[in-house]
Amino acid sequence: MSFDEIIDRRGTHCAKWDKMEPIYGVPADTGIAMWVADMDFRPPAVVQDALQGMLDHGVYGYFGDDSQYLSAIQWWMENRHGWKIKQDWIFTTHGLVNGTSMCIDAFTKPGDGVVLFTPVYHAFARVIAASDRKVVECAMANNDGRYELDFDAYDAQMTGDETMLVFCSPHNPGGRVWTKDELAQVVAFAKRHDLILVSDEIHHDLVMPGITHTPMALMDNVQDRLVMMTATTKTFNIAGGHCGNVIIQDPKLRATFAKRMNAMGISPNSFGLVMATAAYSPEGAAWVDELVTYLNDNRRIFDATINAIPGLQSTPLESTYLAWVDFDGTGMDRDEFTKRVEETAAIAANHGTTFGKGGDTFLRFNIATPRARIEEACNRLRDAFSDLQ
């Protein structure tokens, strides 16, 4: 596998590349898509081989006997994260946005408040609002580019109407890997306010060298309110398979979730199951290790360029492949720095405002793309802000 290979994704029904021009006005032929959170790399050969086996067989009927799939999840969580789980804890949803929505549907009621520590992944607020629940934004403190949680402020903000906390670990878009002490504080906060704690850990495999992620499930005194969400999709770039896992240890919570899953008639896509089973393997693990090394080098190159431009700051990235860049120091308003990125540099990046409170001066850049494209993006950004240098 060469992560340097340029794969032209235009014209392939690719949201990231084919919707860049209509949404951002960035030309399809010359622009660089750095917004949607998928990678411009093929998945490992073990995944491709598994799909080829399906094609060679040529019959695409209902999927039965998911024991290998469930065993693969168990193997991965124990070997990569030190977390032992049982098969009957695992529910399969159509990705983790669907998983989040299912949790909201199962464990809250219309009018309830659902807490988010913002800025945070934009789909959370979207599904909360669409479910007729209240989005409760608890803004994080940004201390010199490092996001920190302020529980005194959050305690004061609670009204008693809140019933759930959706927590992003590792954090998107800030790239934080939370410490055990911070996780313990999150648990204590959830207990104080009697909140169901949904921990979205979709980026947990994409952690930079020297950094350690702790699954929320390994914390003490949390299982009676904890719902874990994990997936192969971000790790192996197979988001089109729409396959995610909601993992619940507590039997009462599990029964409640199972009832809603059954009521909705949800069953997984066979292609997603086959890809996930193949990915959660020793071959997949070796590929992820190579990927993280490559992403870390992309991070170094991108950050060095951004931080050398006066007024720009790239948030230190401990996990994910999503660089969170602050333009506040330029003194420019949001329209001006966004125009320079989209029109002058011809780069599509996520607007920080979509991530909630605290995102106004930011753009999010996806660096999971071949090195040559990272270098080109860096050159364009350097030129777009050349008057500051």
Side-chain angles (χ1 to χ4, degrees), residues 183-191 197 216 219-222 225:
L183 295 179
Q185 292 180 61
V186 172
V187 171
F189 173 77
K191 281 185 171 295
L197 174 54
M216 184 66 82
M219 300 304 294
D220 294 331
N221 302 315
V222 70
R225 65 186 64 250

Side-chain angles (χ1 to χ4, degrees), residues 7-18:
I7 301 169
D8 189 355
R9 301 179 64 192
R10 293 170 295 184
T12 63
H13 305 284
C14 169
K16 182 178 176 182
W17 288 88
D18 291 337

Side-chain angles (χ1 to χ4, degrees), residues 121-134:
Y121 178 45
H122 44 74
F124 293 157
R126 186 180 77 234
V127 297
I128 292 166
S131 301
D132 296 322
R133 276 67 165 173
K134 293 183 294 187

Side-chain angles (χ1 to χ4, degrees), residues 65-295:
D65 186 8
D66 60 358
S67 57
Q68 286 185 312
Y69 164 74
L70 297 173
S71 293
I73 296 169
Q74 288 179 293
W75 180 87
W76 189 268
M77 296 308 161
E78 182 172 358
N79 284 274
R80 300 292 286 190
H81 298 285
W83 176 31
K84 292 185 178 182
I85 63 175
K86 295 181 179 180
Q87 293 192 3
D88 63 359
W89 299 356
I90 303 170
F91 299 89
T92 301
T93 60
H94 290 284
L96 293 192
V97 175
N98 173 241
T100 304
S101 179
M102 289 298 303
C103 288
I104 293 166
D105 188 66
F107 300 117
T108 71
K109 62 183 187 298
D112 284 0
V114 180
V115 178
L116 301 175
F117 299 145
T118 59
V120 75
Y121 178 45
H122 44 74
F124 293 157
R126 186 180 77 234
V127 297
I128 292 166
S131 301
D132 296 322
R133 276 67 165 173
K134 293 183 294 187
V135 179
V136 180
E137 294 190 54
C138 292
M140 292 187 291
N142 187 343
N143 293 323
D144 194 25
R146 181 180 176 85
Y147 282 105
E148 296 179 354
L149 301 164
D150 182 356
F151 288 101
D152 288 340
Y154 307 156
D155 284 337
Q157 194 175 334
M158 295 299 101
T159 66
D161 294 332
E162 301 82 10
T163 55
M164 176 177 286
L165 164 63
V166 180
F167 184 62
C168 197
S169 179
H171 181 247
N172 168 20
R176 276 294 317 276
V177 173
W178 306 106
T179 66
K180 288 183 179 180
D181 181 62
E182 287 171 319
L183 295 179
Q185 292 180 61
V186 172
V187 171
F189 173 77
K191 281 185 171 295
R192 280 197 301 276
H193 300 285
D194 196 20
L195 307 175
I196 296 292
L197 174 54
V198 177
S199 189
D200 178 356
E201 308 201 3
I202 197 169
H203 292 280
H204 65 172
D205 294 310
L206 304 175
V207 175
M208 296 300 149
I211 305 293
T212 300
H213 166 79
T214 300
M216 184 66 82
L218 297 184
M219 300 304 294
D220 294 331
N221 302 315
V222 70
Q223 295 301 340
D224 63 335
R225 65 186 64 250
L226 179 64
V227 176
M228 293 284 290
M229 298 201 302
T230 70
T232 53
T233 49
K234 282 288 182 287
T235 304
F236 297 98
N237 201 35
I238 52 178
H242 281 280
C243 186
N245 295 116
V246 173
I247 304 175
I248 307 174
Q249 180 174 340
D250 182 79
K252 290 183 180 179
L253 295 180
R254 199 161 63 240
T256 299
F257 194 82
K259 184 176 181 180
R260 293 307 299 151
M261 288 282 287
N262 289 332
M264 298 292 285
I266 291 178
S267 58
N269 180 298
S270 61
F271 286 86
L273 296 180
V274 168
M275 287 193 286
T277 304
Y280 277 163
S281 63
E283 296 88 348
W287 183 88
V288 171
D289 291 341
E290 293 179 16
L291 169 69
V292 169
T293 298
Y294 192 88
L295 292 175

Side-chain angles (χ1 to χ4, degrees), residues 13-34:
H13 305 284
C14 169
K16 182 178 176 182
W17 288 88
D18 291 337
K19 296 180 74 173
M20 170 173 62
E21 187 163 12
I23 292 177
Y24 293 98
V26 174
D29 54 345
T30 59
I32 301 177
M34 301 183 78

Side-chain angles (χ1 to χ4, degrees), residues 324-329 332 334 337 352-353 358-363:
W324 185 235
V325 178
D326 191 358
F327 292 80
D328 188 47
M332 299 177 188
R334 182 159 50 88
F337 69 72
T353 50
D360 287 2
T361 63
F362 288 82
L363 295 174

